[in-house]
Amino acid sequence: MTASPKRYAYEVAVREQALLGEGPTWDPAGERLIWVDILGSRVHTYAPGDGRRTVMATEQHVGAAKPRAGGGLVVNLRDGIGLYGPGGASFTWLVRDPVPGRRGNDAAVSPDGALWAGTMRYDEAPGGGGLTRVAADGTVTGQSGPLGDVAVSNGTGWSPDGRRMYYADSPTRRVDVLDFDGRHARNRRPFAVIEVGAGDPDGLAVDADGCVWIALWNGGAVRRYTPDGRLDRVIALPVPRPTACAFGGPGLRDLYITTARAGQERPHPLAGSVLVVPDAGQGLPGTPFAG
């Protein structure tokens, strides 16, 4: 296994003590980064242009927050999928499906504007989580075949041409790839296997070259894998628990990385902050949720 010797310099974008920072997403309409503190029940935004920040409390643990096409946010909460209006002024449930001991986790918006929402049990029991497709009108399509029986549903992303879908069920220590037809994901197979001791795959981002960037929980690094599954870059970080990454900023050139401090007796001073690696690569424009 080899990786590029190029050294990456990180900066602190947002100094914060988030328990479980997650889900960075670039919002081009607001020229801002959206991210969540799952266990803190907070949705954060950060505008790198002027440094402006906002924090919005949610009534439940929030696994992900993504921009909506008409403004506002779609959120993956403990009991289902909710919709906030612009500025967080209103809230409605799009899908309410509470299951004792389960919560929403990472989520992603596919090229057609649907939300792919992951779930997990608080105890991370195998088979306790899953991944569902939520359409703009709230229609839920379960992925009972390849993606309906998981433990910790995490990173999800699509290749530049939209024909491949990447997915991480963290305890498997794999990022898998599936064939994608615009609505369904099929033919799940391993894309990259993380060796023992290097951490577990968490959130991911796909760049304009079709490479997959993966945050390694308990691995203190973000890795980039080429479309054929070859490791070619490693970003070493000072914090042991990076959780996810996303490209943002001018030209989508900067890689933002969320981190966590939960479960650590003596967390690093930057644990829970958002880090950024300037000019790390070339990101892909995101798609807002159509609902």
Side-chain angles (χ1 to χ4, degrees):
M1 182 177 293
T2 60
S4 167
K6 180 179 178 180
R7 298 182 65 87
Y8 292 86
Y10 70 87
E11 300 174 2
V12 180
V14 179
R15 192 173 294 271
E16 184 59 74
Q17 294 192 342
L19 288 173
L20 187 51
E22 259 285 8
T25 301
W26 184 252
D27 175 19
E31 296 184 337
R32 62 181 185 168
L33 187 78
I34 301 169
W35 59 286
V36 302
D37 179 357
I38 296 178
L39 299 180
S41 303
R42 298 288 189 274
V43 176
H44 295 254
T45 71
Y46 164 66
D50 58 11
R52 184 171 182 268
R53 294 181 56 191
T54 67
V55 182
M56 181 182 74
T58 58
E59 294 186 2
Q60 299 183 352
H61 290 162
V62 55
K66 308 295 178 183
R68 298 170 60 192
L73 299 171
V74 59
V75 288
N76 192 18
L77 297 169
R78 184 193 66 201
D79 292 345
I81 308 302
L83 301 175
Y84 281 100
S90 62
F91 174 82
T92 58
W93 285 104
L94 180 64
V95 177
R96 194 166 189 273
D97 181 27
V99 175
R102 190 187 74 176
R103 67 168 174 83
N105 203 44
D106 204 356
V109 179
S110 57
D112 68 340
L115 182 74
W116 288 69
T119 56
M120 60 175 283
R121 286 189 55 83
Y122 281 95
D123 62 8
E124 302 183 11
L131 185 70
T132 57
R133 178 185 184 273
V134 182
D137 63 0
T139 300
V140 177
T141 305
Q143 302 297 309
S144 58
L147 297 170
D149 186 19
V150 303
V152 181
S153 185
N154 254 315
T156 306
W158 288 266
S159 60
D161 64 6
R163 298 175 63 182
R164 306 177 93 194
M165 176 172 153
Y166 298 97
Y167 179 70
D169 178 4
S170 293
T172 66
R173 298 202 325 276
R174 295 194 321 266
V175 174
D176 293 333
V177 60
L178 301 96
D179 299 322
F180 190 71
D181 65 6
R183 290 180 60 89
H184 304 94
R186 300 184 176 90
N187 190 24
R188 181 177 178 179
R189 65 262 186 206
F191 168 73
V193 179
I194 310 302
E195 67 274 17
V196 175
D200 297 330
D202 203 324
L204 61 81
V206 183
D207 68 20
D209 295 324
C211 297
V212 182
W213 299 72
I214 304 164
L216 296 181
W217 173 271
N218 284 334
V222 172
R223 291 180 174 183
R224 188 181 89 153
Y225 288 83
T226 61
D228 61 1
R230 177 177 55 86
L231 174 64
D232 78 332
R233 297 184 190 177
V234 177
I235 300 175
L237 300 169
V239 294
R241 291 184 167 177
T243 57
C245 54
F247 283 95
L252 299 175
R253 299 285 307 174
D254 303 330
L255 187 71
Y256 289 91
I257 304 165
T258 48
T259 68
R261 62 190 295 111
Q264 302 168 75
E265 291 185 5
R266 296 181 178 179
H268 188 279
L270 292 179
S273 296
V274 179
L275 307 179
V276 61
V277 179
D279 202 28
Q282 179 61 62
L284 287 170
T287 302
F289 178 59

